[in-house]
Amino acid sequence: MATKKTKKVATPVDQRETFVSIQKNFADSDISVEEKLKILYELQKADVAIDKIISRRGELPEEVKALEEEIAVLKAKISKLNELNAGLNLSIAENKEKAVASEDAAEKYRAQLNQIQNSREYDSIEKEIENLDLEKQIANKFVGEAKMKIAENKAAIEEIEQKIDVRNEDLRIKKEELDNIAKTTAAEESTLKTKRDALAEKIDERTMSAYERIRASVHNHLAVVSVFNENACGGCFNTIIPQRLIDIASMKKLVICEHCGRIIVSPETDK
C-alpha cells in the first residue's frame, strides 16, 4: 500500500515576528543557511545604499508636501471669501430694492396725507410711513455694512494672494532642488531597487517580514550586521560570547544578538 506524502503547511506570516520567532524555521528553505545569510546581508547593503540616497533629499519631500498643503488651504480660504462676497453682493442688491420699494410706498402714503381728514386714519398712515422709513434705514444700513465686509474680505484676499505668491516661490525653489537631486540619483536608485527586489524574491515571506520589522524598529535601520571589532555586534556594539562567534564564523546557523535582536553575520560575508 502506497504511503501518502504529508504536505507541509507553511506557517502564516505574523507582522509581529522577529528573527527570534523564525529561528527554528530559518533552515527550512531551498537554499542553504549560508547562502540565505549572504542574501540577507546583500539585501541590507542595498537598503543602506537606498537610504543614503533618500537621506540626500533631507526634509525636502516633507517641506514640498507641507507647502502644497498650505497653498491648498490658502486657496480654499480665498474661495470661501469669494463665496461670502458673492452672497453679500446678492443681499446688497436685494436690500437696495427693498429700500427703493419702501421709499416708493412711503411717497404714496405721503401723497394721501393731504386728502385725509380723519385723525385716526391720518395717524395710521403716519405709522405706515414711519415703518417704511425704518425698513428703508435698515436696508440701507445692511447695504453699508455689507459693503464694508466685502472691502474687508477683498483686503484679506489680497493678503492671502500675496502669501500664496511667496509660498509658490518657496515651493518652486524646493521642487527644483528636489528634482535636481532626483535627476542625479535616479539611475543609481533604480539600479539599487532592481537589485533589492531580486534579492528579496529569494527570501521567504516570514524572514522578509521579520527583516522589515527589525529595520523599521531600530534607529539606524540595520537588521543584518557583521561582527564589529572582532567580538561585538555591529548593530548595538555589545560583546558577543566566544561560542556565538564560532557559530557566526561557521555561517551554518542563524545567530541573533541577544541584546538588539539583529542577525549577526561573519565579516567574511562582505568579502
Side-chain angles (χ1 to χ4, degrees), residues 33 46 48 56 79 83-85 93 100 110-111 124 159 162-163 175 192 225 236 240 246 252 257 262 265:
V33 170
V48 167
R56 289 182 213 172
S79 180
E83 284 179 17
L84 289 172
N85 281 356
V100 171
R110 289 189 189 100
S124 176
E159 188 177 335
Q162 289 173 4
K163 191 177 285 187
K175 276 188 171 181
L192 284 167
V225 296
C236 65
I240 304 168
I246 294 169
K252 303 296 181 187
C257 178
R262 294 176 173 91
V265 297

Side-chain angles (χ1 to χ4, degrees), residues 220-235:
N220 56 9
H221 305 303
L222 295 177
V224 184
V225 296
S226 65
V227 176
F228 174 75
N229 201 25
E230 297 185 353
N231 69 343
C233 168

Side-chain angles (χ1 to χ4, degrees), residues 48-162:
V48 167
I50 292 169
D51 287 345
K52 284 180 180 177
I53 289 174
I54 292 171
S55 71
R56 289 182 213 172
R57 300 169 194 161
E59 296 180 357
L60 280 172
E62 289 76 17
E63 289 173 358
V64 166
K65 185 180 177 183
L67 281 168
E68 288 174 338
E69 289 174 352
E70 185 182 354
I71 290 167
V73 169
L74 291 172
K75 285 182 176 179
K77 285 182 179 179
I78 288 177
S79 180
K80 184 65 177 176
L81 288 169
N82 281 326
E83 284 179 17
L84 289 172
N85 281 356
L88 287 168
N89 278 320
L90 284 174
S91 295
I92 286 171
E94 289 172 0
N95 278 277
K96 281 183 176 180
E97 287 178 5
K98 283 182 183 178
V100 171
S102 296
E103 178 61 26
D104 289 344
E107 284 299 321
K108 288 178 182 178
Y109 278 120
R110 289 189 189 100
Q112 294 176 22
L113 285 177
N114 296 328
Q115 302 170 11
I116 301 300
Q117 296 180 352
N118 186 308
S119 60
R120 175 182 272 178
E121 193 174 350
Y122 187 93
D123 290 341
S124 176
I125 291 175
E126 280 282 359
K127 187 65 177 176
E128 286 295 335
I129 293 171
E130 185 181 331
N131 288 337
L132 288 166
D133 283 341
L134 183 60
E135 286 178 9
K136 178 185 172 182
Q137 289 173 26
I138 292 171
N140 286 332
K141 183 183 178 186
F142 178 86
V143 168
E145 290 175 348
K147 284 181 177 179
M148 286 178 62
K149 187 61 181 175
I150 287 172
E152 288 175 10
N153 289 344
K154 284 183 177 179
I157 288 170
E158 286 180 9
E159 188 177 335
I160 293 169
E161 284 175 340
Q162 289 173 4

Side-chain angles (χ1 to χ4, degrees), residues 11-69:
T11 307
V13 176
D14 185 344
Q15 297 303 321
R16 297 169 297 177
E17 281 183 326
T18 62
F19 291 132
V20 174
S21 62
I22 64 168
Q23 199 164 15
K24 290 181 181 178
N25 307 95
F26 190 76
D28 295 345
S29 176
D30 295 333
I31 56 178
S32 67
V33 170
E34 181 177 355
E35 184 63 20
K36 198 170 182 179
L37 289 172
K38 285 180 178 179
I39 292 170
L40 279 169
Y41 190 66
E42 286 300 312
L43 178 66
Q44 178 66 85
K45 283 169 62 179
D47 278 334
V48 167
I50 292 169
D51 287 345
K52 284 180 180 177
I53 289 174
I54 292 171
S55 71
R56 289 182 213 172
R57 300 169 194 161
E59 296 180 357
L60 280 172
E62 289 76 17
E63 289 173 358
V64 166
K65 185 180 177 183
L67 281 168
E68 288 174 338
E69 289 174 352

